[in-house]
Amino acid sequence: MLEFNRTLTLFTTSLHALSLHCDVAYSSQVRMCSCRLTIIEVLSFLKPLEEEGVTQVHHSKSPTVAIFPNGSGIVHLLPLRALYPRACTHLQPTIMAAEVVSGLSECRLLAGINVGMKLFALIFTSLAVPLGLGRFMSVQSCLSVALVIWCTLCGVVYWRRLPQLPVNRISAFMETGDERDNVIAHRGGAADAPENTLEAFEVAKKNGAFAVEVDIGITKDGIAVLLHDWSVDRTTDGAGMLSNLTYGEVRQLNAAAKFTNGSPITTANIPTLDECVEKCKDLDLKIFFDVKDSSHQAVTILIELFERYPHLMDSSIVCSFRPDLIYKLRLRNPQILTALTMGSRHFQHQVDQWQIELGSWAYSLAYIVDELMIWSMYNWLWYLCGNSAVLLSKDAISGSVIDYWKDRDIIVVAWTVNKQEEKRYFQDFHQLNIITDTLVHGSGE
């Protein structure tokens, strides 16, 4: 019990120290830095604040702000003292200091660094007692060590960052010539034809797509083919993991065997990556390569592909949930257009696809990794990788999110948008390119 009390005391004292010692600069506007930040709930005082539903942002010289949702999943950073001056008198010792400084275009990482530094310092200091550091270090010492570690990490990101390509490169790639044709066929249009097939590309072109999104997998003998899942079970008449099948075995499978949406296409092969590129060139379709494998083999396959087909520099973009894949790819060829893909449950879905018995700990860990990855992608991974675009789940997009990325010269693409009213919303209201399973007007989900 004594150890628990010491930990709690150190925790609350750390919060107090953070709120008092972290001097910050404020501009007249406080912006949202992410649509998904981990909500900091210090004791229970944030609950009544959340229920207030305050959305008006006030200017304040105080460095103290509260982090809480406004009911729509968007996190606001609001100066707490300006909103609740009386409450601050009693709650000051348990307030987490955080802030977003806007209007500083020359220091785009400042927002992420400020919030991240204090979260890191909070965690480090709170764990000092359980780790035995409390016997040798004061709270101030813990904060100082945390600050040094954080600054070192930020320095590594700064010195190892890859330069972002000129914005005209991604703008030219996204140019369709017609505001109503900014549609990318997801897996070639998975609801209109057998996904990731050459036949699907023909249907997508006929229905008005300017680009196709395709998934890259690698066979046992190192041949890159188009397949979304790790296994061939869902879409073909075969079974087994792709990595356990040779290209010869994969070629015998029917990629249209389980497509049941009334298409006249009854047979189709799983195409190779080269066949995909050549077909899209013939159809004048641009390509979004979705790569889930971040291995050296996958990076090499992509590098060699761009060397064989130089036109891909202007007619394709490599997208991935895996920032390590993007970084390794641009490290070898920084002229390749790249995009980070963000989804709220990516690693949790991956756990499901592994098809092995895992304990609940695996899903809990996947949830934590998902949340950390989203925060990192918004605050520093885009900077490290030098991305030109982000592919965001439609549910994570708002006007503020679009402005956030626009300020960083990054194009937003919405996925997967299937309902007709959602298509009109993202295309007409936000002027975004959208990724969809169907290009047939009037389709629902």
Side-chain angles (χ1 to χ4, degrees):
M1 187 65 182
L2 179 61
E3 192 71 10
F4 173 79
N5 289 334
R6 289 183 61 196
T7 303
L8 182 60
T9 301
L10 183 57
F11 179 80
T12 55
T13 306
S14 301
L15 292 174
H16 181 55
L18 283 169
S19 64
L20 293 180
H21 290 91
C22 295
D23 295 328
V24 297
Y26 262 92
S27 65
S28 60
Q29 287 186 330
V30 180
R31 296 190 179 188
M32 289 175 284
C33 69
S34 172
C35 67
R36 285 183 181 275
L37 280 177
T38 302
I39 308 304
I40 305 302
E41 294 184 303
V42 181
L43 302 184
S44 61
F45 80 92
L46 285 185
K47 189 62 178 176
L49 298 187
E50 178 181 346
E51 293 173 351
E52 292 284 347
V54 179
T55 57
Q56 179 67 35
V57 178
H58 299 274
H59 174 60
S60 171
K61 294 182 180 180
S62 168
T64 306
V65 298
I67 304 178
F68 61 95
N70 72 343
S72 63
I74 305 299
V75 173
H76 287 267
L77 305 182
L78 306 178
L80 184 63
R81 188 181 299 278
L83 296 177
Y84 305 93
R86 295 180 61 185
C88 279
T89 302
H90 305 286
L91 299 175
Q92 181 67 32
T94 58
I95 292 173
M96 174 63 184
E99 69 289 323
V100 172
V101 181
S102 63
L104 300 177
S105 59
E106 69 278 6
C107 190
R108 293 172 173 172
L109 281 181
L110 187 56
I113 289 176
N114 283 334
V115 177
M117 178 186 69
K118 291 167 187 177
L119 291 177
F120 179 79
L122 170 65
I123 296 171
F124 182 88
T125 308
S126 300
L127 292 176
V129 169
L131 293 176
L133 299 177
R135 301 176 183 177
F136 312 102
M137 301 173 65
S138 65
V139 171
Q140 191 64 40
S141 297
C142 288
L143 290 173
S144 299
V145 171
L147 179 61
V148 170
I149 295 174
W150 182 258
C151 290
T152 302
L153 294 174
C154 291
V156 171
V157 171
Y158 177 79
W159 290 110
R160 297 295 297 175
R161 75 192 190 283
L162 298 173
Q164 189 179 35
L165 292 172
V167 70
N168 64 297
R169 281 283 307 278
I170 187 65
S171 298
F173 171 74
M174 293 293 184
E175 180 61 42
T176 64
D178 189 332
E179 292 182 357
R180 296 298 304 167
D181 291 337
N182 54 350
V183 180
I184 301 113
H186 188 223
R187 306 178 199 170
D192 299 333
E195 67 180 60
N196 285 312
T197 63
L198 303 184
E199 290 78 4
F201 301 163
E202 294 176 350
V203 173
K205 180 64 177 181
K206 179 181 178 181
N207 289 336
F210 88 95
V212 292
E213 183 266 358
V214 300
D215 303 282
I216 300 177
I218 304 174
T219 64
K220 182 178 181 180
D221 46 354
I223 304 298
V225 297
L226 302 192
L227 190 72
H228 176 270
D229 300 351
W230 296 110
S231 73
V232 299
D233 300 37
R234 181 178 62 85
T235 57
T236 76
D237 53 356
M241 302 297 288
L242 178 65
S243 58
N244 294 331
L245 301 174
T246 65
Y247 172 65
E249 293 170 326
V250 169
R251 197 64 173 180
Q252 302 302 315
L253 302 178
N254 181 9
K258 296 182 180 178
F259 184 74
T260 58
N261 207 17
S263 171
I265 303 170
T266 58
T267 59
N269 292 323
I270 295 180
T272 65
L273 188 56
D274 286 81
E275 289 174 334
C276 164
V277 172
E278 292 167 0
K279 187 67 173 181
C280 289
K281 183 178 181 181
D282 292 340
L283 295 173
D284 193 25
L285 284 171
K286 295 178 180 178
I287 309 173
F288 285 66
F289 294 114
D290 185 3
V291 189
K292 298 175 179 62
D293 186 351
S294 63
S295 66
H296 175 76
Q297 181 185 31
V299 174
T300 299
I301 285 174
L302 288 169
I303 291 295
E304 293 176 350
L305 182 74
F306 277 83
E307 290 174 351
R308 288 196 302 275
Y309 302 98
H311 73 278
L312 289 176
M313 287 293 183
D314 299 316
S315 63
S316 72
I317 186 170
V318 177
C319 317
S320 183
F321 286 95
R322 300 289 301 268
D324 53 332
L325 176 279
I326 299 295
Y327 187 81
K328 288 187 288 187
L329 180 69
R330 295 203 69 236
L331 197 62
R332 293 180 61 175
N333 190 336
Q335 295 304 310
I336 295 176
L337 286 170
T338 58
L340 281 172
T341 307
M342 300 188 201
S344 60
R345 299 187 67 249
H346 170 67
F347 286 98
Q348 295 167 74
H349 284 309
Q350 292 301 304
V351 170
D352 290 334
Q353 284 199 12
W354 286 338
Q355 297 180 349
I356 56 177
E357 292 297 327
L358 295 172
S360 59
W361 62 268
Y363 293 93
S364 300
L365 180 61
Y367 173 81
I368 294 172
V369 173
D370 277 329
E371 292 301 315
L372 288 175
M373 186 62 70
I374 291 171
W375 181 86
S376 298
M377 286 183 172
Y378 267 90
N379 289 289
W380 62 273
L381 282 175
W382 66 268
Y383 181 79
L384 177 67
C385 297
N387 287 289
S388 299
V390 291
L391 276 56
L392 299 180
S393 169
K394 63 181 181 180
D395 299 323
I397 296 177
S398 67
S400 297
V401 169
I402 295 171
D403 289 341
Y404 177 85
W405 291 114
K406 185 177 181 181
D407 289 344
R408 288 150 181 78
D409 294 331
I410 292 179
I411 299 293
V412 173
V413 179
W415 64 270
T416 302
V417 185
N418 290 335
K419 290 184 177 180
Q420 199 60 32
E421 57 270 24
E422 291 178 336
K423 292 180 182 180
R424 288 195 296 268
Y425 171 72
F426 287 112
Q427 290 179 296
D428 298 342
F429 186 74
H430 286 303
Q431 287 82 49
L432 295 183
N433 295 79
I434 63 170
I435 297 176
T436 181
D437 287 321
T438 177
L439 289 92
V440 179
H441 297 291
S443 297
E445 288 284 11

